[in-house]
Amino acid sequence: MNIDKKIADDLVANGVSFVTTVPCKQLAGVIDEVDKRDDIFHIPSNKEDEGMGLCAGAWMGGKRPCIIMQNTAIGVTINTLATLIQYYRMPLPMLISYRGELREPVACQVEMAVHTKALLAQMHIPTYHFHWQKDVEEFDNILKYTFMCNKPVAILTDANFWGGYGDQ
């Protein structure tokens, strides 16, 4: 199964027509797949909180948005999540590379990984952790859930899910 294609297919099947992304090596394949889709307007962001603002604008303009980002900037997004996305009850699927977890080769990424789930829990954001490639089968249901309840949802995808970084 090509997980990049499955993710993009599920986005389209759930009416997601606006995706913003912040670059990450783990997410490169899914970002490329989203960028190829004619039915998804893809705009790269410089920062995650900026991307959430773009998603809010897309939602207010009648589009279903998604942000694809890295967990190391979760701390930067707390204010935007609370005062914009959650306050105005905007659905926002957040596909997040969970850097600093198992099979992570960069030691400095570990520090934010230690806090990621706790920050999301403190914000009462439903969080799903994709560790195995078969976990992508739940992505369609997670998208349906976020748009049904008008809440942000975090999908953490670790290095193992993406196939790791080769032999370490």
Side-chain angles (χ1 to χ4, degrees), residues 58-76:
W59 174 251
M60 287 185 255
K63 305 287 184 193
R64 283 187 165 190
C66 175
I67 187 168
I68 299 176
M69 57 184 267
Q70 193 176 129
N71 70 309
T72 52
I74 287 289
V76 174

Side-chain angles (χ1 to χ4, degrees), residues 29-76:
V30 73
I31 291 170
D32 287 344
E33 186 65 36
V34 163
D35 199 46
K36 291 179 196 173
R37 301 298 178 105
D38 291 332
D39 35 9
I40 297 176
F41 181 73
H42 172 224
I43 184 163
S45 295
N46 293 316
K47 295 176 26 184
E48 286 78 358
D49 55 338
E50 172 188 288
M52 288 182 182
L54 291 169
C55 286
W59 174 251
M60 287 185 255
K63 305 287 184 193
R64 283 187 165 190
C66 175
I67 187 168
I68 299 176
M69 57 184 267
Q70 193 176 129
N71 70 309
T72 52
I74 287 289
V76 174

Side-chain angles (χ1 to χ4, degrees), residues 77-89:
T77 66
I78 298 296
N79 186 53
T80 306
L81 279 167
T83 63
L84 181 61
I85 305 301
Q86 288 180 314
Y87 183 78
Y88 291 102
R89 296 192 49 87

Side-chain angles (χ1 to χ4, degrees), residues 10 22 65 116 119 122 143:
D10 284 351
V22 181
T116 298
L119 287 169
Q122 183 65 36
L143 292 171

